[in-house]
């Protein structure tokens, strides 16, 4: 096993963490979509961790897939926003009962049939994943990738968990807003259909509405 590498990365300043949390809150207020919220947050998060890639994924529990909501990368990446792919077998067991899963060296994983194939092709060597969970329900995933093996420290894992919790709240709130908007649109569509149906009758015909 490759020995742990000592990083000369400054400790994440508390003020910078607060700034990111504030940006997430502002994103929820100002953004028009979940993707916009996540894109704004990922820019701040990748800077905070000084890593090469950050992405946010949404779980689709109906199809057992994940949707890539947003990607923030230092260089062009094979991972693209809007893509869907199935959850890998054993995905949930990798977290156990925790919120964070870290892979210290991606090159130690099998080279085929692996969800990290494109990440390795991007030149990444280590990965941190944090579940976005609301009231015990996993909604999505925050992923941080670095080109250096053994990159993510215990403290960084703690900070990632805190940020993931805030992202989960914003994600849940936005999902509720989107669901409400869809419901309102459906009600309006039904109202217009009903009105068009009634308008089709002659004016002198009584219609029970």
């Amino acid at each position: 096993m490759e020995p742990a590498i000592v990083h000369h990365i400054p400790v994440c300043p508390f003020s910078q963490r607060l700034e990111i949390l504030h940006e997430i809150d502002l994103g929820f207020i100002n953004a028009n979509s979940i993707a916009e919220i996540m894109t704004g947050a990922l820019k701040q998060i990748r800077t905070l961790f000084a890593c090469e890639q950050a992405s946010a994924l949404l779980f689709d529990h109906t199809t057992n897939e994940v949707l890539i909501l947003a990607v923030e990368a230092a260089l062009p990446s094979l991972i693209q926003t809007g893509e869907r792919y199935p959850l890998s077998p054993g995905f949930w067991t990798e977290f156990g009962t925790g919120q964070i899963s870290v892979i210290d060296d991606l090159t130690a994983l099998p080279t085929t049939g692996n969800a990290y194939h494109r990440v390795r092709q991007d030149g990444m060597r280590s990965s941190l994943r944090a579940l976005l969970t609301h009231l015990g329900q996993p909604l999505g995933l925050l992923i941080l990738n670095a080109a250096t093996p053994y990159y993510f420290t215990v403290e960084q894992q703690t900070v990632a968990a805190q940020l993931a919790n805030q992202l989960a709240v914003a994600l849940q709130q936005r999902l509720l807003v989107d669901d409400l908007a869809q419901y309102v649109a459906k009600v309006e569509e039904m109202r217009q259909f009903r009105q068009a149906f009634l308008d089709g009758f002659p004016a002198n015909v009584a219609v029970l509405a």
Side-chain angles (χ1 to χ4, degrees):
M1 178 180 292
E2 190 169 338
I5 297 173
V6 178
H7 305 296
H8 299 288
I9 301 173
V11 174
C12 303
F14 181 71
S15 59
Q16 193 171 359
R17 300 182 211 175
L18 290 179
E19 181 181 347
I20 292 178
L21 296 177
H22 180 61
E23 288 293 330
I24 293 173
D25 291 337
L26 288 179
F28 171 71
I29 296 172
N30 300 322
N32 295 315
S33 67
I34 294 174
E36 283 189 28
I37 294 174
M38 295 301 172
T39 298
L42 290 181
K43 290 179 180 179
Q44 298 281 344
I45 292 173
R46 192 176 73 80
T47 299
L48 179 64
F49 285 84
C51 60
E52 282 75 17
Q53 289 182 350
S55 57
L57 283 62
L58 178 68
F59 293 132
D60 187 335
H61 295 287
T62 302
T63 63
N64 201 37
E65 294 178 321
V66 292
L67 168 66
I68 301 178
L69 292 173
V71 178
E72 171 65 18
L75 297 172
S77 171
L78 294 174
I79 304 169
Q80 298 295 316
T81 300
E83 289 184 332
R84 282 179 172 265
Y85 60 86
L87 283 173
S88 59
F91 171 83
W92 298 110
T93 60
E94 294 178 19
F95 289 90
T97 58
Q99 183 183 9
I100 301 293
S101 172
V102 174
I103 299 176
D104 289 319
D105 190 352
L106 291 165
T107 62
L109 299 177
T111 56
T112 58
N114 188 286
Y116 294 96
H117 179 64
R118 286 185 297 174
V119 177
R120 288 198 301 264
Q121 286 184 305
D122 281 346
M124 300 298 104
R125 288 290 303 275
S126 55
S127 181
L128 181 155
R129 299 172 301 165
L131 288 171
L132 309 183
T133 304
H134 182 73
L135 299 179
Q137 175 71 17
L139 304 175
L141 196 65
L142 169 66
I143 300 179
L144 305 175
N145 297 321
T148 304
Y150 296 87
Y151 183 82
F152 297 102
T153 65
V154 173
E155 181 184 2
Q156 287 175 319
Q157 295 175 39
T158 301
V159 174
Q162 294 171 350
L163 294 173
N165 291 336
Q166 185 69 11
L167 283 174
V169 173
L171 179 58
Q172 175 64 19
Q173 290 175 334
R174 190 69 213 190
L175 288 172
L176 291 175
V177 169
D178 290 348
D179 287 344
L180 178 60
Q182 292 178 9
Y183 173 77
V184 171
K186 187 65 177 179
V187 170
E188 176 61 18
E189 180 182 349
M190 293 176 62
R191 186 196 67 79
Q192 292 181 4
F193 174 81
R194 177 176 176 275
Q195 188 60 48
F197 175 78
L198 295 176
D199 291 345
F201 287 91
N204 61 345
V205 175
V207 179
L208 294 178

